[in-house]
Amino acid sequence: MATLALCAVLSACAVGPDFETPAAPDVASFTPQGQDALPAGGQRLQAGADIPAQWWRLFRSDELDRLVRRALDASPTLEEARARLRQAQQDLDAETGGRMLPSVDANLSAARQKVDPSAFGVPVAEPPPPFTLYNASIDVSYTLDVFGGNRRVLEGLAAQMDYQAHELQAARMSLAANVVTAAIRQADLAERLAATRELLAAQTRQQDIMRQRLDAGGIALADLRNQELLVAQTRATVPPLEFQLAQVTHQLATYLGETPAALQTPPLRLADLTLPPDVPTGVPSALTRQRPDILAAESLWRKASADVGVATANLYPQFTLTASFGSQRTGAGELADGVNVWSLGLGLVQPLFHGGELRARKRSAEAAYDAAAASYRQTVLDGFRQVADALRALQTDADAYAAYDDAWRRADEADRIAAGRYQAGGISHLSLLDSQRQLLQTRISRTAADAARYTDTAALLQALGGGWWNEADALP
């Protein structure tokens, strides 16, 4: 009884470190200038504003929303993540039942036996004949969790389940961002390809006119060769654009859970998207509780902490309670006559010599714990870096777009003036085509800069965590 009382007292203990959730970093800003100090070319960065779960709807495109929803419903990547989460949940349930509750087994057996009493020092004139022994019993076994080894195992499995849950959220966030980025890039490439083909057509017409002027003696052969070089260079840019467009379309189909041949959705148009004027940036110190990759790294750190406890508990004694009761008869019909055999036992196993294995495993678990802690800190740093990069990209994109938009407006104005002068007979057709070429070239650059603003806005919202914590409040 004293031993059982001691075990009951010790069962409240659990060796090894008790994991504590890391404190939020003392960070007031994502960048040295402060996230509100970065110019964003018409976009307002709202510090402290929360990110909606369906952040892609900030682009005000129903078609983009449908693409993301299709991907979230059909992606095999999400199916895999959900299955791994279910597996982790079942592993935890199985180990909880096996470690925290006693095991109870029913046994039923029949054995043909012959017993010679003289073997036990009991002289008999004639040994009894063989007989059949029937046995029906219930066996109970329970290992006391005196030093918390079982609880540490369950703590590690719970951390593994949390890790899979955060991995699922990360997969959802990444998939939504990938679909948005692919759709924007598809629209960008489609528009740049169309403009490049128009540019090629304009340059080809210029080349034809210059060839006629060469025949008439109006220009030198070198001028025609330079134009032919320009046409060849522009023509060479078309196949790579076609390949990039096909490649991103195939990638988009994969995100949607379809084969490339099955995707029939035409590309979006950048004009159908709205650049979010207000971009929520949240609170810097909350980033560690919002990014799924940081939370996943924390779960692995917690599991490593539990593994240290398991390795430590393995150095201490294990106490096992056993009990058995049943009926043992020579006739099968007599098994129901009552219990006539039983036993109670308490076993203790204390490791004495394992060649240093157990202590080495404890040191290994401690090293894994230190590695998980360092990995967590690195993940936090990478998270803040990605947000800072995205904020800086928005500033660069805004400056680049402003420059290209100014160039495009000037080229557009010059083209209108050239068209008027051509109608009045003031310039040649070749000069008109040259102004159109410049307009198309600036249009291609402006389109690329415009697309970069959309993709980097999506990258910022992803880097900030994607708003998954607001899913319960998401609009239908």
Side-chain angles (χ1 to χ4, degrees), residues 113-151:
Q113 298 184 5
K114 178 176 174 57
V115 178
D116 185 358
S118 62
F120 301 97
V122 180
V124 293
E126 182 179 354
F131 62 95
T132 301
L133 183 65
Y134 298 91
N135 178 69
S137 65
I138 294 179
D139 299 330
V140 182
S141 177
Y142 180 62
T143 299
L144 298 174
D145 194 20
V146 177
F147 298 100
N150 287 339
R151 277 168 288 160

Side-chain angles (χ1 to χ4, degrees), residues 19 31 53 58 101 104 111 125 136 166 216 240 332 334 339 390:
F19 185 80
T31 63
L58 295 174
L101 298 175
V104 181
H166 296 315
E334 300 173 358
V339 175

Side-chain angles (χ1 to χ4, degrees), residues 67-112:
L67 287 175
V68 174
R69 289 176 181 271
R70 282 173 59 185
L72 294 177
D73 290 339
S75 172
T77 301
L78 293 188
E79 291 180 11
E80 178 186 359
R82 293 188 190 99
R84 292 192 182 279
L85 176 57
R86 292 196 305 271
Q87 178 186 4
Q89 291 171 333
Q90 295 306 314
D91 288 343
L92 176 59
D93 291 344
E95 290 295 327
T96 300
R99 292 178 179 272
M100 303 307 293
L101 298 175
S103 60
V104 181
D105 299 302
N107 296 302
L108 182 64
S109 63
R112 188 68 175 171

Side-chain angles (χ1 to χ4, degrees), residues 146-286:
V146 177
F147 298 100
N150 287 339
R151 277 168 288 160
R152 294 303 190 192
V153 169
L154 298 182
E155 179 185 343
L157 289 172
Q160 182 67 29
M161 186 182 72
D162 289 343
Y163 168 78
Q164 293 297 344
H166 296 315
E167 285 289 284
L168 173 58
Q169 292 294 355
R172 285 174 54 85
M173 179 189 70
S174 296
L175 179 62
N178 288 338
V179 170
V180 171
T181 301
I184 293 173
R185 180 161 172 75
Q186 185 189 38
D188 170 36
L189 289 169
E191 293 186 20
R192 281 199 283 158
L193 179 60
T196 301
R197 286 170 174 165
E198 289 184 40
L199 176 62
L200 179 60
Q203 291 175 340
T204 302
R205 289 195 297 270
Q206 281 183 303
Q207 177 181 281
D208 294 339
I209 293 174
M210 293 179 70
R211 183 175 291 112
Q212 294 173 3
R213 294 183 63 187
L214 175 65
D215 293 340
I219 62 172
L221 179 61
D223 295 331
L224 176 61
R225 292 292 180 259
N226 288 333
Q227 181 64 23
E228 290 174 343
L229 174 61
L230 187 62
V231 170
Q233 290 174 334
T234 303
R235 183 178 291 113
T237 64
V238 173
L241 285 173
E242 292 175 334
F243 171 71
Q244 294 174 37
L245 177 59
Q247 190 178 42
V248 75
T249 302
H250 300 163
Q251 187 64 65
L252 181 60
T254 302
Y255 293 145
L256 298 177
E258 300 179 2
T259 62
L263 183 61
Q264 302 297 328
T265 305
L268 297 176
R269 295 190 317 121
L270 292 179
D272 295 332
L273 299 173
T274 299
L275 188 69
D278 298 316
V279 182
T281 58
V283 179
S285 60

Side-chain angles (χ1 to χ4, degrees), residues 1-4 7 142 144 318-323 344-349:
M1 293 298 294
T3 302
L4 292 177
C7 291
Y142 180 62
L144 298 174
Q318 292 186 358
F319 300 88
T320 303
L321 292 173
T322 59
L344 291 174
L346 172 63
L348 181 149
V349 176

Side-chain angles (χ1 to χ4, degrees), residues 8-62:
V9 173
L10 291 178
S11 63
C13 303
V15 296
D18 293 325
F19 185 80
E20 295 183 2
T21 300
D26 185 14
V27 179
S29 174
F30 290 113
T31 63
Q33 301 86 355
Q35 61 266 33
D36 293 331
L38 296 175
Q43 285 185 297
R44 294 180 295 273
L45 304 178
Q46 294 184 312
D50 206 0
I51 303 169
Q54 299 173 351
W55 55 265
W56 57 89
R57 299 184 67 176
L58 295 174
F59 293 99
R60 303 298 181 189
S61 170
D62 292 338

